[in-house]
Short mmCIF file of all heavy atoms in Angstrom, two decimals:
data_model
loop_
_atom_site.label_atom_id
_atom_site.label_comp_id
_atom_site.label_asym_id
_atom_site.label_seq_id
_atom_site.Cartn_x
_atom_site.Cartn_y
_atom_site.Cartn_z
N MET W 6 -18.39 3.33 -3.01
CA MET W 6 -17.74 4.60 -2.72
C MET W 6 -16.41 4.39 -1.99
O MET W 6 -15.45 5.09 -2.32
CB MET W 6 -18.70 5.47 -1.91
CG MET W 6 -18.22 6.86 -1.71
SD MET W 6 -18.25 7.76 -3.27
CE MET W 6 -17.95 9.36 -2.69
N PRO W 7 -16.32 3.49 -1.03
CA PRO W 7 -15.02 3.32 -0.35
C PRO W 7 -13.91 2.87 -1.31
O PRO W 7 -12.76 3.25 -1.13
CB PRO W 7 -15.27 2.24 0.69
CG PRO W 7 -16.75 2.25 0.92
CD PRO W 7 -17.34 2.68 -0.37
N ARG W 8 -14.24 2.07 -2.34
CA ARG W 8 -13.20 1.63 -3.29
C ARG W 8 -12.68 2.82 -4.10
O ARG W 8 -11.49 2.89 -4.40
CB ARG W 8 -13.76 0.58 -4.23
CG ARG W 8 -13.93 -0.76 -3.56
CD ARG W 8 -14.25 -1.81 -4.58
NE ARG W 8 -14.41 -3.10 -3.94
CZ ARG W 8 -14.47 -4.23 -4.56
NH1 ARG W 8 -14.43 -4.25 -5.89
NH2 ARG W 8 -14.60 -5.36 -3.91
N LEU W 9 -13.56 3.74 -4.43
CA LEU W 9 -13.13 4.93 -5.16
C LEU W 9 -12.20 5.77 -4.29
O LEU W 9 -11.19 6.31 -4.76
CB LEU W 9 -14.35 5.74 -5.59
CG LEU W 9 -14.07 6.99 -6.42
CD1 LEU W 9 -13.37 6.62 -7.72
CD2 LEU W 9 -15.34 7.74 -6.69
N LEU W 10 -12.52 5.87 -3.01
CA LEU W 10 -11.68 6.63 -2.09
C LEU W 10 -10.31 5.97 -1.94
O LEU W 10 -9.28 6.65 -1.96
CB LEU W 10 -12.38 6.75 -0.73
CG LEU W 10 -11.63 7.53 0.35
CD1 LEU W 10 -11.43 8.97 -0.09
CD2 LEU W 10 -12.38 7.46 1.66
N VAL W 11 -10.29 4.66 -1.82
CA VAL W 11 -9.02 3.93 -1.70
C VAL W 11 -8.20 4.10 -2.98
O VAL W 11 -6.98 4.30 -2.92
CB VAL W 11 -9.28 2.45 -1.38
CG1 VAL W 11 -8.01 1.64 -1.50
CG2 VAL W 11 -9.88 2.30 -0.01
N ALA W 12 -8.84 4.04 -4.12
CA ALA W 12 -8.13 4.21 -5.39
C ALA W 12 -7.56 5.62 -5.51
O ALA W 12 -6.42 5.81 -5.96
CB ALA W 12 -9.07 3.91 -6.55
N ALA W 13 -8.32 6.61 -5.09
CA ALA W 13 -7.84 8.00 -5.16
C ALA W 13 -6.66 8.21 -4.20
O ALA W 13 -5.67 8.85 -4.57
CB ALA W 13 -8.98 8.96 -4.82
N LEU W 14 -6.77 7.66 -3.00
CA LEU W 14 -5.66 7.80 -2.04
C LEU W 14 -4.42 7.07 -2.53
O LEU W 14 -3.29 7.55 -2.35
CB LEU W 14 -6.08 7.26 -0.67
CG LEU W 14 -7.08 8.12 0.10
CD1 LEU W 14 -7.50 7.43 1.39
CD2 LEU W 14 -6.50 9.49 0.39
N THR W 15 -4.60 5.93 -3.17
CA THR W 15 -3.46 5.19 -3.72
C THR W 15 -2.79 6.00 -4.83
O THR W 15 -1.55 6.06 -4.90
CB THR W 15 -3.91 3.83 -4.26
OG1 THR W 15 -4.54 3.10 -3.20
CG2 THR W 15 -2.75 3.03 -4.81
N ALA W 16 -3.58 6.62 -5.69
CA ALA W 16 -3.01 7.43 -6.77
C ALA W 16 -2.26 8.64 -6.21
O ALA W 16 -1.17 8.98 -6.70
CB ALA W 16 -4.12 7.88 -7.70
N VAL W 17 -2.82 9.26 -5.19
CA VAL W 17 -2.15 10.42 -4.59
C VAL W 17 -0.85 9.99 -3.91
O VAL W 17 0.19 10.66 -4.04
CB VAL W 17 -3.09 11.12 -3.58
CG1 VAL W 17 -2.34 12.14 -2.74
CG2 VAL W 17 -4.25 11.78 -4.31
N LEU W 18 -0.87 8.86 -3.22
CA LEU W 18 0.34 8.35 -2.57
C LEU W 18 1.40 7.99 -3.61
O LEU W 18 2.59 8.31 -3.43
CB LEU W 18 0.01 7.13 -1.71
CG LEU W 18 1.17 6.49 -0.97
CD1 LEU W 18 1.75 7.47 0.04
CD2 LEU W 18 0.73 5.21 -0.29
N ALA W 19 1.00 7.35 -4.70
CA ALA W 19 1.95 6.99 -5.75
C ALA W 19 2.57 8.24 -6.39
O ALA W 19 3.77 8.28 -6.66
CB ALA W 19 1.27 6.14 -6.81
N ALA W 20 1.75 9.25 -6.62
CA ALA W 20 2.27 10.49 -7.19
C ALA W 20 3.25 11.16 -6.23
O ALA W 20 4.30 11.68 -6.65
CB ALA W 20 1.12 11.43 -7.53
N GLY W 21 2.93 11.15 -4.95
CA GLY W 21 3.83 11.74 -3.96
C GLY W 21 5.15 11.01 -3.89
O GLY W 21 6.22 11.63 -3.79
N LEU W 22 5.12 9.69 -3.95
CA LEU W 22 6.36 8.91 -3.93
C LEU W 22 7.18 9.16 -5.19
O LEU W 22 8.41 9.23 -5.13
CB LEU W 22 6.04 7.42 -3.79
CG LEU W 22 5.59 6.97 -2.41
CD1 LEU W 22 5.18 5.51 -2.45
CD2 LEU W 22 6.67 7.19 -1.38
N ALA W 23 6.52 9.31 -6.33
CA ALA W 23 7.23 9.59 -7.57
C ALA W 23 7.92 10.95 -7.51
O ALA W 23 9.08 11.09 -7.94
CB ALA W 23 6.28 9.52 -8.75
N VAL W 24 7.24 11.94 -6.98
CA VAL W 24 7.84 13.27 -6.85
C VAL W 24 9.01 13.23 -5.88
O VAL W 24 10.07 13.82 -6.14
CB VAL W 24 6.78 14.30 -6.40
CG1 VAL W 24 7.43 15.61 -6.00
CG2 VAL W 24 5.76 14.52 -7.51
N ALA W 25 8.86 12.53 -4.77
CA ALA W 25 9.95 12.43 -3.78
C ALA W 25 11.16 11.72 -4.39
O ALA W 25 12.31 12.12 -4.16
CB ALA W 25 9.46 11.70 -2.54
N ALA W 26 10.93 10.67 -5.16
CA ALA W 26 12.04 9.97 -5.81
C ALA W 26 12.74 10.87 -6.82
O ALA W 26 13.97 10.87 -6.90
CB ALA W 26 11.53 8.70 -6.48
N ALA W 27 11.98 11.63 -7.58
CA ALA W 27 12.58 12.54 -8.56
C ALA W 27 13.41 13.61 -7.88
O ALA W 27 14.53 13.91 -8.31
CB ALA W 27 11.49 13.17 -9.41
N VAL W 28 12.91 14.16 -6.79
CA VAL W 28 13.67 15.19 -6.06
C VAL W 28 14.94 14.58 -5.47
O VAL W 28 16.01 15.20 -5.50
CB VAL W 28 12.79 15.83 -4.97
CG1 VAL W 28 13.61 16.69 -4.03
CG2 VAL W 28 11.67 16.65 -5.61
N GLY W 29 14.85 13.37 -4.96
CA GLY W 29 16.03 12.70 -4.40
C GLY W 29 17.08 12.42 -5.46
O GLY W 29 18.27 12.59 -5.22
N ILE W 30 16.66 11.99 -6.64
CA ILE W 30 17.61 11.71 -7.72
C ILE W 30 18.29 13.00 -8.16
O ILE W 30 19.51 13.02 -8.38
CB ILE W 30 16.89 11.02 -8.89
CG1 ILE W 30 16.52 9.59 -8.49
CG2 ILE W 30 17.76 11.02 -10.14
CD1 ILE W 30 15.62 8.89 -9.48
N VAL W 31 17.55 14.07 -8.29
CA VAL W 31 18.15 15.35 -8.69
C VAL W 31 19.13 15.83 -7.62
O VAL W 31 20.21 16.33 -7.94
CB VAL W 31 17.05 16.40 -8.94
CG1 VAL W 31 17.64 17.79 -9.07
CG2 VAL W 31 16.25 16.04 -10.17
N ALA W 32 18.80 15.63 -6.35
CA ALA W 32 19.72 16.03 -5.28
C ALA W 32 21.01 15.22 -5.34
O ALA W 32 22.10 15.76 -5.11
CB ALA W 32 19.04 15.87 -3.93
N LEU W 33 20.91 13.93 -5.64
CA LEU W 33 22.11 13.11 -5.75
C LEU W 33 22.96 13.51 -6.95
O LEU W 33 24.19 13.50 -6.87
CB LEU W 33 21.73 11.63 -5.87
CG LEU W 33 21.26 10.95 -4.58
CD1 LEU W 33 20.81 9.53 -4.88
CD2 LEU W 33 22.37 10.94 -3.55
N LEU W 34 22.32 13.86 -8.05
CA LEU W 34 23.08 14.26 -9.23
C LEU W 34 23.76 15.60 -9.05
O LEU W 34 24.78 15.87 -9.69
CB LEU W 34 22.16 14.28 -10.45
CG LEU W 34 21.67 12.92 -10.93
CD1 LEU W 34 20.67 13.10 -12.07
CD2 LEU W 34 22.82 12.06 -11.39
N ASN W 35 23.23 16.45 -8.21
CA ASN W 35 23.83 17.77 -7.98
C ASN W 35 24.90 17.73 -6.90
O ASN W 35 25.55 18.74 -6.66
CB ASN W 35 22.76 18.78 -7.60
CG ASN W 35 21.95 19.23 -8.79
OD1 ASN W 35 22.42 19.17 -9.92
ND2 ASN W 35 20.73 19.68 -8.55
N ALA W 36 25.09 16.59 -6.24
CA ALA W 36 26.10 16.49 -5.18
C ALA W 36 27.50 16.55 -5.79
O ALA W 36 27.74 16.03 -6.87
CB ALA W 36 25.92 15.19 -4.42
N PRO W 37 28.45 17.19 -5.10
CA PRO W 37 29.81 17.24 -5.63
C PRO W 37 30.46 15.86 -5.59
O PRO W 37 30.11 15.03 -4.75
CB PRO W 37 30.52 18.22 -4.69
CG PRO W 37 29.73 18.18 -3.44
CD PRO W 37 28.32 17.89 -3.83
N PRO W 38 31.41 15.59 -6.46
CA PRO W 38 32.06 14.28 -6.46
C PRO W 38 32.90 14.08 -5.19
O PRO W 38 33.35 15.04 -4.57
CB PRO W 38 32.94 14.30 -7.71
CG PRO W 38 33.13 15.74 -8.00
CD PRO W 38 31.91 16.46 -7.51
N ASP W 39 33.13 12.82 -4.85
CA ASP W 39 33.90 12.51 -3.65
C ASP W 39 35.39 12.78 -3.81
O ASP W 39 36.07 13.10 -2.85
CB ASP W 39 33.70 11.04 -3.26
CG ASP W 39 32.30 10.76 -2.78
OD1 ASP W 39 31.63 11.74 -2.34
OD2 ASP W 39 31.87 9.60 -2.82
N GLN W 40 35.89 12.62 -5.01
CA GLN W 40 37.31 12.84 -5.22
C GLN W 40 37.51 14.05 -6.13
O GLN W 40 36.67 14.34 -6.96
CB GLN W 40 37.97 11.61 -5.83
CG GLN W 40 37.46 11.24 -7.21
CD GLN W 40 38.05 9.93 -7.67
OE1 GLN W 40 38.37 9.08 -6.87
NE2 GLN W 40 38.18 9.77 -8.96
N PRO W 41 38.63 14.75 -5.98
CA PRO W 41 38.86 15.93 -6.81
C PRO W 41 39.12 15.52 -8.26
O PRO W 41 39.56 14.41 -8.55
CB PRO W 41 40.09 16.56 -6.18
CG PRO W 41 40.77 15.45 -5.47
CD PRO W 41 39.69 14.51 -5.02
N ASN W 42 38.86 16.43 -9.15
CA ASN W 42 39.07 16.20 -10.57
C ASN W 42 40.52 16.55 -10.91
O ASN W 42 40.83 17.67 -11.28
CB ASN W 42 38.10 17.04 -11.38
CG ASN W 42 38.16 16.71 -12.84
OD1 ASN W 42 38.78 15.74 -13.24
ND2 ASN W 42 37.54 17.54 -13.65
N VAL W 43 41.41 15.56 -10.78
CA VAL W 43 42.83 15.76 -11.05
C VAL W 43 43.18 15.03 -12.34
O VAL W 43 42.86 13.85 -12.48
CB VAL W 43 43.68 15.21 -9.88
CG1 VAL W 43 45.16 15.37 -10.17
CG2 VAL W 43 43.31 15.89 -8.58
N PRO W 44 43.81 15.70 -13.29
CA PRO W 44 44.13 15.02 -14.55
C PRO W 44 45.16 13.91 -14.33
O PRO W 44 46.06 14.02 -13.50
CB PRO W 44 44.69 16.13 -15.42
CG PRO W 44 45.13 17.18 -14.48
CD PRO W 44 44.24 17.08 -13.27
N LEU W 45 45.01 12.83 -15.09
CA LEU W 45 45.95 11.71 -15.00
C LEU W 45 47.21 11.97 -15.80
O LEU W 45 48.27 11.43 -15.50
CB LEU W 45 45.27 10.43 -15.50
CG LEU W 45 44.07 9.96 -14.69
CD1 LEU W 45 43.43 8.75 -15.35
CD2 LEU W 45 44.47 9.64 -13.28
N VAL W 46 47.11 12.80 -16.84
CA VAL W 46 48.25 13.10 -17.71
C VAL W 46 48.44 14.60 -17.71
O VAL W 46 47.48 15.36 -17.85
CB VAL W 46 47.99 12.60 -19.15
CG1 VAL W 46 49.15 12.96 -20.06
CG2 VAL W 46 47.74 11.11 -19.14
N THR W 47 49.68 15.04 -17.57
CA THR W 47 49.98 16.48 -17.66
C THR W 47 50.94 16.69 -18.82
O THR W 47 51.77 15.82 -19.13
CB THR W 47 50.62 17.00 -16.37
OG1 THR W 47 51.79 16.25 -16.09
CG2 THR W 47 49.65 16.89 -15.19
N PHE W 48 50.81 17.82 -19.47
CA PHE W 48 51.66 18.17 -20.60
C PHE W 48 52.47 19.40 -20.23
O PHE W 48 52.04 20.21 -19.39
CB PHE W 48 50.79 18.45 -21.83
CG PHE W 48 50.05 17.24 -22.30
CD1 PHE W 48 48.71 17.07 -21.95
CD2 PHE W 48 50.66 16.28 -23.07
CE1 PHE W 48 48.01 15.96 -22.37
CE2 PHE W 48 49.97 15.17 -23.50
CZ PHE W 48 48.65 15.00 -23.15
N PRO W 49 53.63 19.57 -20.84
CA PRO W 49 54.44 20.75 -20.54
C PRO W 49 53.69 22.02 -20.97
O PRO W 49 52.84 21.98 -21.85
CB PRO W 49 55.71 20.55 -21.36
CG PRO W 49 55.37 19.52 -22.38
CD PRO W 49 54.27 18.69 -21.81
N THR W 50 54.05 23.12 -20.35
CA THR W 50 53.39 24.37 -20.66
C THR W 50 53.78 24.84 -22.04
O THR W 50 54.83 24.47 -22.58
CB THR W 50 53.76 25.45 -19.63
OG1 THR W 50 55.17 25.61 -19.65
CG2 THR W 50 53.30 25.06 -18.25
N ALA W 51 52.97 25.67 -22.64
CA ALA W 51 53.23 26.19 -23.98
C ALA W 51 54.46 27.07 -23.97
O ALA W 51 54.75 27.77 -23.01
CB ALA W 51 52.01 26.97 -24.48
N GLY W 52 55.21 27.04 -25.04
CA GLY W 52 56.38 27.89 -25.16
C GLY W 52 57.67 27.14 -24.90
O GLY W 52 58.75 27.65 -25.20
N THR W 53 57.62 25.95 -24.35
CA THR W 53 58.86 25.20 -24.14
C THR W 53 59.12 24.31 -25.34
O THR W 53 58.21 23.85 -26.01
CB THR W 53 58.74 24.31 -22.87
OG1 THR W 53 57.64 23.42 -23.04
CG2 THR W 53 58.52 25.16 -21.65
N GLU W 54 60.37 24.10 -25.63
CA GLU W 54 60.75 23.24 -26.73
C GLU W 54 60.62 21.79 -26.32
O GLU W 54 60.74 21.47 -25.14
CB GLU W 54 62.20 23.55 -27.14
CG GLU W 54 62.38 24.95 -27.72
CD GLU W 54 61.61 25.13 -29.02
OE1 GLU W 54 61.55 24.18 -29.81
OE2 GLU W 54 61.06 26.21 -29.23
N PRO W 55 60.41 20.87 -27.26
CA PRO W 55 60.24 19.47 -26.90
C PRO W 55 61.44 18.87 -26.16
O PRO W 55 61.27 18.02 -25.30
CB PRO W 55 60.03 18.78 -28.25
CG PRO W 55 59.56 19.84 -29.16
CD PRO W 55 60.17 21.11 -28.67
N GLY W 56 62.66 19.32 -26.46
CA GLY W 56 63.84 18.76 -25.82
C GLY W 56 64.14 19.38 -24.46
O GLY W 56 64.92 18.85 -23.68
N GLU W 57 63.57 20.53 -24.15
CA GLU W 57 63.84 21.24 -22.89
C GLU W 57 62.97 20.69 -21.75
O GLU W 57 61.88 20.28 -21.96
CB GLU W 57 63.56 22.73 -23.04
CG GLU W 57 64.45 23.43 -24.01
CD GLU W 57 64.07 24.89 -24.14
OE1 GLU W 57 63.29 25.36 -23.29
OE2 GLU W 57 64.53 25.54 -25.06
N ARG W 58 63.54 20.76 -20.58
CA ARG W 58 62.76 20.39 -19.38
C ARG W 58 63.20 21.22 -18.23
O ARG W 58 64.23 21.64 -18.02
CB ARG W 58 62.94 18.91 -19.05
CG ARG W 58 62.21 18.07 -20.06
CD ARG W 58 61.99 16.71 -19.52
NE ARG W 58 61.29 15.99 -20.58
CZ ARG W 58 60.48 15.03 -20.37
NH1 ARG W 58 60.26 14.63 -19.17
NH2 ARG W 58 59.89 14.43 -21.33
#
């Protein structure tokens, strides 16, 4: 009987750790990025001719 109890407690602990890890991963994925999303290339606005600046 004690081995069954130890096995059940181990399974419950493993399930709890799995849930905690999943919640932690989701929290990390929902975190905002450290740097702003700034484009590396900019294009002229619509309506300007290619030779104008």
Side-chain angles (χ1 to χ4, degrees):
M6 188 70 170
R8 286 190 180 192
L9 182 61
L10 181 62
V11 170
L14 288 175
T15 303
V17 168
L18 180 64
L22 286 174
V24 169
V28 169
I30 289 171
V31 169
L33 285 175
L34 291 175
N35 284 336
D39 291 338
Q40 64 186 29
N42 187 11
V43 178
L45 297 176
V46 178
T47 57
F48 295 99
T50 59
T53 59
E54 294 296 323
E57 295 178 13
R58 287 199 181 209

